[in-house]
Amino acid sequence: MSSAAEQEAVAAERATGDGRPAAVVNGVRPAPPVPTVPVRPGRPTPLGARFRVGPDGVAGTNFALWAGGAEGVELCLFDERGRERRARLTELTHEIWHGFVPDVLPGQRYGYRVHGRWDPWTGARWNPAKLLLDPYARAVDGDFALPPEVYGHVRDWPEQHVADTVRDDRDSAPYVPKGVVVHDDDDWADDRRPKTPWADSVIYELHVKGFTRRHPGIPEELRGTYAGLAHPAAVEHLVRLGVTAVELLPVHQFAHEDHLLRRGLRDYWGYNSIGYFAPHAGYAASGTRGQQVGEFKRMVRALHAAGIEVILDVVYNHTAEAGELGPTLSLKGVDNRGYYRLQPDARRYADYTGCGNTLHVVQPHVLRLITDSLRYWVTEMGVDGFRFDLAAALARSMHDVDMLSPFLAVIAQDPVLRRVKLIAEPWDVGSGGYQVGAFPPLWTEWNDRYRDTVRDFWRHALPDVREMGYRLSGSSDLYAWGGRRPYASVNFVTAHDGFTLRDLVSYGRKHNEANGEGNRDGTDDNRAWNCGVEGETDDESVRALRRRQLRNLLTTLLLSTGVPMLVAGDELGRTQRGNNNAYCQDNEIGWVDWALLEDPDWRPLFELTSRLIALRHDHPVLRRRAFFSGRAHSADGLRDLAWFTPRGTEMTEGDWYAPAATLGMYLSGRDIPGRDEHGAPVLDDSFLAVLHAGEDPVEFELPGPPWAERYEVVVDTGREEQSDSPGTEHPAGTPVTVPGRTVLLLRVRG
């Protein structure tokens, strides 16, 4: 066996002087001449393909591509039979290659071939044999199958550790999707954005396909599509539930990972973007030659008409081209060194994402790509905000996470983007990447400390209740700085990544065998409790306990200060059979089971969730716009927030540090900061929430004056079904029995 250095030398010898491999390596024969098309100079802006009428009245399309270090760019046009014509773009303005091609109309499929040096040792990976997707393509036709021909290097080179240095000259055009020219024919004059204030928001994370694929009220041909999500049956569920925004798992055009395709699986979640302007074609019912754009817009309009905002989960931290052994689909072939962060040796990629590559956001043209994409989805596609996957990777300047980074600075001053909802997943996988609580004002964050604390409380695994107090009241320890508000915290117990809510109380460990990775994938830190039995069971006592735990978790989430986020199907008891990493389960494991809505065991969970959201909507004390002060604001000593022990006494410093399973939280509706839209003080009812995670019942003495004269039970999670009639009243100063593992919400009366 030769050494690595010797194998690299052999690979170099097998390449020609300009870095190209000898023809014998791939057995490539000269291709027949390709027809050319006339091209005019055109304009360098806007980037991408824009249909327009030229100065002489001739309709056509202007093409513009940034390719900073390239030596030449060819535009490739494809007819219905896949036959190719080429136009060499000879105009170069500020590193943008551009040209106007007459008679190229909407629906035309296209791609690019970019010429330059092949020198992976310096990060140069140009290969004109590979057809490249336009980074600004607004529609994509076709799917990525990832055969060997779509790799810029010889994927199956015997010495894999040097395979990325040997260029593959086979034509990839027959095997890759094409960009599509799109006509801008929609205006938003009749659209009314809901513009829901952050404090009033309830977010519902859903997958376009998974939410609609099994819905019996949606026509079969629309299930799994944008049109399916726009269907009245889908919208009706969202309205009945009461959520104010849907957060869509990635809908940018994405590719399936090679390791999944080899196992007969597909990327389901879509965190493998390759087209930042194009709605994923696989979710279109109307067609993929530009029709997906109009279908997406109609979906947004339908949701807006129902008062529901649309937030996109976006993946600008990496692309589907992976590392040096990944395929050449777009940016890697346009200008590898210009788009990606490279390690000091330039051949390999800096990977802060765990996906093989990281976009080099400090580069002006990369920053422009991202911000152009964001503005496009707001102004032309109508969306209302974004959740940024691994946002810490975007906030890195050179290496470290920097809250004064170019990306955050540009967003803060952008007149369009600073007005929409911005949610950070405030971490990445690199050193120093965990940044919960560190993002600047304007941003909200996924609060994983909320998730972990609530899970631990209800499985009775917290040493004391200090952490729980912070999480219930808005996480002021994380966000009360720099003018941030309680709604900087997006509170969640579950997300797409991890157990569903039902699985959280049904499984103690992951069961990811269906993913084909030997159950090695997915986190082992689930903070789950299976209620004594692993998996599904016929034991009715265990099933009843699990349903109670679900009610506890949902009630805690929707009573907490901050912005609650639910996951589609959790309100129905959806299960993934213990799979906590269903990213490749495009099947019934990953899809919502709508039969649960009619199941007598699970229907009450939906009714409770809807009731809690309505309660939150009706009571501003549950959705405060400012942090609690904990101080008395009136002569009677009543504070806006107070904490109580089961003895009915206010908690002392020692109580916070003592082992406990019970916490009483008093929320005063008399001391809500701010005024309503008419300038009047905001007044509300006051509430006492008692959360008891212990197994045995506890006697909780209700606080007397000045806190209350009597209390009325509003929610009791010990009951399968909640009554809409007035609840039982209890005099202040008397004990109530709180069953084991129960939340009681009581309204102050008198």
Side-chain angles (χ1 to χ4, degrees):
M1 179 67 67
S2 60
S3 68
E6 289 171 332
Q7 291 176 7
E8 289 192 13
V10 170
E13 288 174 3
R14 291 178 179 174
T16 60
D18 63 353
R20 294 168 56 90
V24 70
V25 171
N26 301 312
V28 176
R29 298 290 182 267
V34 177
T36 60
V37 294
V39 59
R40 300 178 184 176
R43 303 171 182 171
T45 57
L47 291 168
R50 291 298 178 111
F51 173 73
R52 64 181 180 86
V53 176
D56 54 1
V58 175
T61 299
N62 192 85
F63 295 90
L65 174 73
W66 182 92
E71 297 171 2
V73 173
E74 289 179 295
L75 169 69
C76 307
L77 306 175
F78 295 87
D79 65 14
E80 297 295 332
R81 297 175 57 186
R83 293 175 298 192
E84 180 180 355
R85 297 180 299 151
R86 297 182 187 175
R88 196 166 189 93
L89 302 182
T90 59
E91 300 297 322
L92 181 61
T93 304
H94 303 310
E95 300 185 317
I96 297 172
W97 302 78
H98 55 91
F100 177 83
V101 184
D103 301 320
V104 169
L105 306 179
Q108 173 67 58
R109 300 187 303 155
Y110 74 100
Y112 291 108
R113 299 182 187 273
V114 181
H115 297 256
R117 293 183 306 110
W118 175 263
D119 186 11
W121 293 272
T122 63
R125 294 182 178 272
W126 284 285
N127 185 345
K130 309 305 167 184
L131 186 77
L132 306 175
L133 182 67
D134 180 3
Y136 279 72
R138 292 184 291 161
V140 177
D141 179 55
D143 203 357
F144 291 95
L146 302 189
E149 288 84 355
V150 307
Y151 289 74
H153 64 282
V154 181
R155 188 181 73 175
D156 301 322
W157 187 255
E159 295 85 15
Q160 275 292 292
H161 69 279
V162 293
D164 68 289
T165 68
V166 183
R167 197 171 81 172
D168 187 318
D169 282 340
R170 287 173 289 186
D171 185 9
S172 70
Y175 309 100
V176 294
K178 316 301 188 289
V180 180
V181 176
V182 175
H183 183 36
D184 300 319
D185 58 357
D186 280 315
D187 70 65
W188 292 88
D190 61 340
D191 182 64
R192 295 293 181 269
R193 294 178 184 262
K195 297 182 179 179
T196 306
W198 259 127
D200 300 340
S201 297
V202 178
I203 298 173
Y204 189 74
E205 187 193 47
L206 68 82
H207 188 287
V208 169
K209 182 174 183 179
F211 183 73
T212 60
R213 184 63 184 85
R214 303 177 68 186
H215 198 300
I218 299 174
E220 178 66 33
E221 67 274 12
L222 300 184
R223 296 177 189 175
T225 69
Y226 305 118
L229 183 52
H231 191 273
V235 176
E236 179 190 13
H237 180 80
L238 299 172
V239 172
R240 288 173 60 201
L241 187 58
V243 298
T244 68
V246 291
E247 182 176 303
L248 306 183
L249 266 67
V251 295
H252 288 165
Q253 184 68 41
F254 62 86
H256 304 290
E257 293 91 331
D258 179 66
H259 70 91
L260 292 178
L261 296 173
R262 293 185 187 219
R263 296 202 301 269
L265 298 170
R266 294 162 60 86
D267 189 312
Y268 172 55
W269 288 346
Y271 290 91
N272 207 38
S273 300
I274 196 63
Y276 290 129
F277 292 78
H280 185 63
Y283 302 152
S286 54
T288 60
R289 297 292 287 270
Q291 297 95 331
Q292 62 264 55
V293 178
E295 185 177 329
F296 184 94
K297 291 179 178 180
R298 291 189 292 275
M299 176 197 74
V300 172
R301 285 194 180 97
L303 291 166
H304 282 180
I308 298 169
E309 294 184 305
V310 178
I311 298 171
L312 301 188
D313 195 336
V314 290
V315 189
Y316 294 111
N317 55 76
H318 76 281
T319 75
E321 293 184 299
E324 61 273 6
L325 294 176
T328 297
L329 308 175
S330 183
L331 305 181
K332 185 181 289 186
V334 174
D335 191 332
N336 184 58
R337 294 178 300 187
Y339 277 108
Y340 293 115
R341 290 179 180 267
L342 303 179
Q343 292 186 16
D345 67 1
R347 177 182 155 195
R348 306 189 189 282
Y349 293 75
D351 183 8
Y352 296 110
T353 66
C355 300
N357 65 52
T358 307
L359 280 181
H360 203 347
V361 180
V362 298
Q363 296 278 18
H365 48 274
V366 180
L367 190 57
R368 178 181 179 183
L369 170 70
I370 295 172
T371 52
D372 282 353
S373 168
L374 292 169
R375 281 189 293 268
Y376 171 77
W377 286 96
V378 173
T379 60
E380 298 193 42
M381 302 296 273
V383 306
D384 305 285
F386 305 94
R387 178 265 186 188
F388 292 82
D389 181 66
L390 299 182
L394 299 173
R396 289 183 182 270
S397 290
M398 295 311 295
H399 300 289
D400 296 333
V401 178
D402 179 5
M403 292 305 162
L404 298 176
S405 67
F407 172 73
L408 295 178
V410 166
I411 295 291
Q413 60 78 44
D414 189 283
V416 172
L417 301 180
R418 69 189 182 200
R419 298 179 184 276
V420 302
K421 287 184 165 65
L422 302 171
I423 305 172
E425 183 183 38
W427 52 77
D428 63 20
V429 302
S431 175
Y434 187 76
Q435 295 289 324
V436 171
F439 274 71
L442 195 70
W443 288 80
T444 65
E445 302 175 15
W446 271 24
N447 186 352
D448 67 330
R449 287 183 60 179
Y450 179 93
R451 174 199 65 197
D452 293 349
T453 300
V454 171
R455 288 186 179 193
D456 282 345
F457 178 81
W458 284 111
R459 67 189 182 109
H460 200 5
L462 288 178
D464 52 52
V465 292
R466 284 177 295 158
E467 187 85 0
M468 192 65 173
Y470 276 121
R471 304 305 148 236
L472 289 170
S473 58
S475 295
S476 60
D477 58 328
L478 299 175
Y479 301 110
W481 63 273
R484 303 189 80 182
R485 300 296 183 93
Y487 47 77
S489 176
V490 173
N491 299 330
F492 65 104
V493 178
T494 58
H496 65 275
D497 188 3
F499 280 148
T500 66
L501 202 66
R502 176 174 169 180
D503 288 355
L504 187 66
V505 301
S506 303
Y507 296 87
R509 60 186 185 277
K510 66 188 180 185
H511 295 266
N512 298 354
E513 290 81 5
N515 296 354
E517 300 178 38
N519 206 33
R520 293 183 300 272
D521 63 302
T523 183
D524 292 313
D525 182 20
N526 296 293
R527 300 171 188 255
W529 179 52
N530 63 16
C531 297
V533 178
E534 186 70 3
E536 296 300 315
T537 179
D538 293 328
D539 187 325
E540 183 51 40
S541 64
V542 174
R543 291 161 59 91
L545 175 57
R546 289 173 176 176
R547 293 194 297 271
R548 177 182 292 217
Q549 286 290 78
L550 293 185
R551 296 193 294 272
N552 290 334
L553 290 163
L554 283 170
T555 301
T556 302
L557 175 65
L558 290 166
L559 294 182
S560 297
T561 302
V563 179
M565 184 185 79
L566 300 164
V567 178
D570 274 354
E571 76 280 13
L572 308 176
R574 183 176 78 90
T575 177
Q576 292 178 172
R577 305 170 198 165
N579 192 320
N580 75 350
N581 190 35
Y583 77 105
C584 56
Q585 297 300 323
D586 188 2
N587 50 47
E588 292 186 357
I589 292 177
W591 303 338
V592 173
D593 179 5
W594 289 97
L596 294 167
L597 190 56
E598 305 306 323
D599 188 318
D601 277 349
W602 298 109
R603 174 77 183 191
L605 189 66
F606 169 79
E607 300 292 352
L608 173 64
T609 309
S610 178
R611 190 167 184 266
L612 288 166
I613 294 174
L615 189 72
R616 186 181 182 90
H617 174 77
D618 292 341
H619 292 283
V621 72
L622 300 178
R623 44 188 172 83
R624 287 172 57 103
R625 288 161 166 76
F627 286 106
F628 295 98
S629 70
R631 296 188 298 270
H633 294 277
S634 56
D636 58 13
L638 194 69
R639 291 189 294 281
D640 58 359
L641 174 68
W643 304 95
F644 289 90
T645 70
R647 302 183 301 276
T649 59
E650 288 191 67
M651 292 183 67
T652 65
E653 187 75 9
D655 291 325
W656 283 111
Y657 286 85
T662 310
L663 185 62
M665 177 176 66
Y666 184 97
L667 306 171
S668 173
R670 289 170 38 181
D671 302 300
I672 301 174
R675 295 181 292 173
D676 65 19
E677 59 185 7
H678 304 293
V682 178
L683 298 175
D684 193 13
D685 292 329
S686 297
F687 291 91
L688 174 68
V690 180
L691 297 87
H692 175 50
E695 179 180 0
D696 299 320
V698 65
E699 293 293 306
F700 194 100
E701 184 169 322
L702 301 177
W707 308 103
E709 297 290 341
R710 61 188 187 280
Y711 296 86
E712 172 197 357
V713 176
V714 177
V715 175
D716 178 357
T717 63
R719 300 177 179 274
E720 286 277 2
E721 301 196 29
Q722 308 296 311
S723 173
D724 288 330
S725 59
T728 304
E729 288 201 2
H730 299 273
T734 62
V736 295
T737 300
V738 183
R741 301 187 179 99
T742 296
V743 179
L744 281 185
L745 180 66
L746 305 105
R747 189 193 333 254
V748 170
R749 291 301 192 196

